[in-house]
Amino acid sequence: MYTDLFLKTHRVPAITADEQAALEGASVRTVTYNARQIIVRQQTPLTQCTLLLEGFVERYKDTPEGRRQILAIHIPGDFVDLHSYPLKRLEHSVAALTDVRVALFPHPEIRALTKASATLTELLWRSTLVDAAINREWIVSIGARSAAIRLAHLFCEMYVRLQRIGQAPTLTFPLPLTQVDLADATGLTAVHANRMLRQLRERGMVAFRQGEVEILDWDALRRFAKFDPAYLFFE
Amino acid sequence: MYTDLFLKTHRVPAITADEQAALEGASVRTVTYNARQIIVRQQTPLTQCTLLLEGFVERYKDTPEGRRQILAIHIPGDFVDLHSYPLKRLEHSVAALTDVRVALFPHPEIRALTKASATLTELLWRSTLVDAAINREWIVSIGARSAAIRLAHLFCEMYVRLQRIGQAPTLTFPLPLTQVDLADATGLTAVHANRMLRQLRERGMVAFRQGEVEILDWDALRRFAKFDPAYLFFE
DNA sequence: CGTAGTCTTGACCCATCTCAAATGGTGTGG
DNA sequence: CCACACCATTTGAGATGGGTCAAGACTACG
């Protein structure tokens, strides 16, 4: 079942067994990509959407100044480019962070779903908007939080999201980013990100090494980052 | 016609006259708000969506640290909280920047529209995703651009958006923000924003005073900000 | 076992912030 | 019509968070 994790992440509005079957049936095939492979290049016209089944994916934009800004990190169960259905092309790129497996949903199939069920439409639409809410929280992070808090906040977010799909059963979980990636996501330089990571580790809150996060003190971390998961719309 | 400006901003996918009439009919009434009045408070359950007819609106989030981050600036023709239809509540607040007039669309009416037309659904969905694309461009701005460029880029964006709805016929247009607002939108302090505004003015690119932008040299400004409007999805 | 990416650390610098105060509207009440 | 309060803007001086540059260490992998 391709859509199990997606439905675990998005429980509202509730859909019927028939609707779930229709959603599942809208997928035509699965594809795999290798780590660091580009899945969608910005501005390319798209005709299908990609549901992440296994592995991690990033969305990012290269700036004219030669910098790179990571816009989102996706985990299994996320539609990484469902917004390509109404938009037809994306203004950013999508790349695999690890080896990944995805299921493809052609736009016409999605259109058929929207015709068949207003509830399913609402669910799909909603999932793209939860994504946007995460974008907005990143604006707040980058615009109004200090470097250390930005990193702490990101670790909180990824922990809670992974926990929900059952992929963070303990306080140690994979986050397959380099320190450069972490810097590109938080609007910092790699050097400063490195120093802040050390600080978070030494202060006993969280340790990041080799693409793995170990939460040393969840309560301290959550308080330090002032993390409030409301923006993730779990319900 | 409440939806004229909205349809001027969002031309894709094209809808029929019947669909346009249905959209128009989904609005139950108009309301006015005074400048600086809060329209939607974060986390309040919502049962209707707000289409901005006249005036300017901001979306923002107050951080636990006591800072304020502006997330979006809306102009006539924007649905300021269409995302409340699938989300049911918002994780940010919405406030009037000027005296405004809005049209209200109850969620049940919007649901009826999604049942009636897949094309109209796509159009509405798309408009929320263009909004998200703007959010992402702001992430890039705040995360990867210098202070002066952030401001220049914002002026470019507002100019192009206002131009499209016919409200920037010349190179001078209203942008009813204070310098504090401008700073809250770009992740700067008001003091630094002030200094950068002076620099942009002295370098002959753009002058901002009393809620009004005067573009002194559009080409220079556009080049300086490396502004590419692709993320606005005009088509 | 060489090469390239990643991480770490040091030293220095600068873009931006903080604090503080002066200036200049503008609306209000007397 | 004046005096006052309030807010937005401007400017100065000094502090600092984070950037830049550079080098060394560690790791994975062909």
Side-chain angles (χ1 to χ4, degrees):
Chain A
M1 295 292 286
Y2 302 145
T3 56
D4 274 355
L5 287 182
F6 173 74
L7 294 172
K8 196 173 274 190
T9 314
H10 300 283
R11 300 169 184 280
V12 175
I15 57 173
T16 65
D18 280 358
E19 286 164 333
Q20 181 168 356
L23 176 60
E24 185 74 25
S27 165
V28 288
R29 64 199 176 96
T30 67
V31 177
T32 62
Y33 294 94
N34 296 326
R36 296 290 158 176
Q37 206 177 338
I38 294 178
I39 297 175
V40 176
R41 215 172 288 269
Q42 49 185 263
Q43 302 302 358
T44 310
L46 298 176
T47 59
Q48 57 190 6
C49 298
T50 310
L51 174 63
L52 183 54
L53 301 175
E54 285 169 32
F56 285 71
V57 157
E58 60 173 346
R59 281 158 49 197
Y60 67 94
K61 223 159 172 170
D62 290 306
T63 76
E65 295 87 4
R67 300 249 269 156
R68 198 173 81 105
Q69 178 67 48
I70 296 182
L71 301 165
I73 296 167
H74 287 295
I75 65 175
D78 288 350
F79 260 109
V80 303
D81 60 357
L82 185 51
H83 48 312
S84 78
Y85 163 59
L87 290 178
K88 307 306 177 203
R89 63 181 171 85
L90 300 184
E91 88 296 354
H92 60 261
S93 300
V94 179
L97 285 165
T98 60
D99 291 350
V100 304
R101 199 164 65 89
V102 305
L104 299 180
F105 292 72
H107 288 174
E109 298 284 339
I110 293 177
R111 184 176 174 89
L113 292 178
T114 69
K115 283 197 173 183
S117 161
T119 307
L120 200 44
T121 304
E122 191 181 320
L123 180 68
L124 292 173
W125 189 351
R126 181 185 162 98
S127 80
T128 63
L129 297 181
V130 171
D131 236 78
I134 296 175
N135 288 159
R136 289 192 292 270
E137 189 63 33
W138 283 36
I139 291 179
V140 174
S141 253
I142 298 174
R145 296 188 173 116
S146 69
I149 294 184
R150 281 182 223 179
L151 289 165
H153 200 278
L154 179 59
F155 294 142
C156 288
E157 174 184 315
M158 295 312 300
Y159 175 59
V160 167
R161 287 170 59 197
L162 285 164
Q163 205 175 37
R164 180 171 41 172
I165 60 166
Q167 296 203 3
T170 70
L171 287 169
T172 299
F173 60 89
L175 186 64
L177 301 174
T178 65
Q179 291 190 3
V180 173
D181 293 331
L182 228 33
D184 286 345
T186 51
L188 301 170
T189 57
V191 172
H192 198 59
N194 176 280
R195 290 190 227 270
M196 293 302 104
L197 288 174
R198 170 152 53 100
Q199 195 179 303
L200 291 173
R201 192 182 340 114
E202 285 172 354
R203 291 168 71 173
M205 289 193 280
V206 60
F208 176 83
R209 40 182 151 38
Q210 300 150 210
E212 195 171 83
V213 176
E214 181 187 356
I215 293 177
L216 304 171
D217 183 342
W218 169 244
D219 227 53
L221 182 64
R222 194 166 45 75
R223 265 184 289 113
F224 176 69
K226 302 215 170 59
F227 179 73
D228 173 0
Y231 72 96
L232 295 170
F233 287 86
F234 281 14
E235 311 301 76
Chain B
M1 295 293 285
Y2 303 146
T3 56
D4 274 355
L5 287 182
F6 173 73
L7 294 171
K8 196 173 275 189
T9 314
H10 300 283
R11 300 171 184 278
V12 176
I15 56 173
T16 65
D18 280 358
E19 285 164 334
Q20 181 169 356
L23 176 61
E24 185 73 25
S27 165
V28 288
R29 65 200 176 94
T30 66
V31 177
T32 62
Y33 294 95
N34 296 326
R36 296 288 159 180
Q37 205 178 338
I38 294 178
I39 297 175
V40 176
R41 216 171 287 271
Q42 52 184 261
Q43 302 301 357
T44 310
L46 298 177
T47 59
Q48 57 191 6
C49 297
T50 310
L51 173 64
L52 183 53
L53 301 175
E54 284 169 33
F56 285 71
V57 157
E58 61 172 347
R59 282 157 49 198
Y60 67 94
K61 223 160 172 170
D62 290 306
T63 75
E65 294 88 3
R67 299 248 269 157
R68 196 174 83 104
Q69 178 66 49
I70 295 182
L71 302 166
I73 297 167
H74 287 295
I75 65 175
D78 289 350
F79 260 109
V80 303
D81 60 355
L82 184 52
H83 49 311
S84 78
Y85 164 59
L87 290 176
K88 307 306 179 204
R89 63 181 170 84
L90 299 184
E91 89 294 355
H92 60 260
S93 301
V94 179
L97 285 165
T98 60
D99 291 350
V100 304
R101 199 165 65 89
V102 305
L104 298 179
F105 292 73
H107 289 174
E109 298 284 340
I110 293 176
R111 184 176 174 89
L113 292 178
T114 68
K115 282 197 175 183
S117 161
T119 306
L120 201 44
T121 304
E122 193 181 318
L123 180 68
L124 293 173
W125 189 351
R126 181 184 161 99
S127 80
T128 63
L129 296 181
V130 171
D131 235 79
I134 296 176
N135 287 159
R136 288 190 293 270
E137 190 63 32
W138 283 37
I139 292 178
V140 174
S141 253
I142 298 175
R145 297 189 173 114
S146 70
I149 295 183
R150 281 183 224 179
L151 290 166
H153 199 277
L154 178 60
F155 293 142
C156 288
E157 174 184 316
M158 295 312 300
Y159 175 58
V160 167
R161 287 170 59 196
L162 284 165
Q163 205 174 37
R164 180 171 40 171
I165 60 166
Q167 297 204 1
T170 71
L171 287 168
T172 298
F173 59 90
L175 185 64
L177 302 174
T178 65
Q179 292 189 4
V180 173
D181 293 332
L182 228 33
D184 286 346
T186 51
L188 301 170
T189 57
V191 171
H192 198 58
N194 176 278
R195 291 190 226 269
M196 294 301 104
L197 288 174
R198 170 154 51 102
Q199 196 179 300
L200 290 173
R201 190 182 341 113
E202 285 173 355
R203 290 168 71 174
M205 290 192 280
V206 61
F208 175 85
R209 43 183 147 37
Q210 299 150 209
E212 196 171 83
V213 176
E214 182 188 355
I215 293 177
L216 305 171
D217 184 341
W218 170 243
D219 228 53
L221 182 64
R222 195 166 44 75
R223 265 183 289 114
F224 176 70
K226 300 212 171 61
F227 179 72
D228 173 359
Y231 73 95
L232 295 171
F233 287 87
F234 280 14
E235 311 300 76

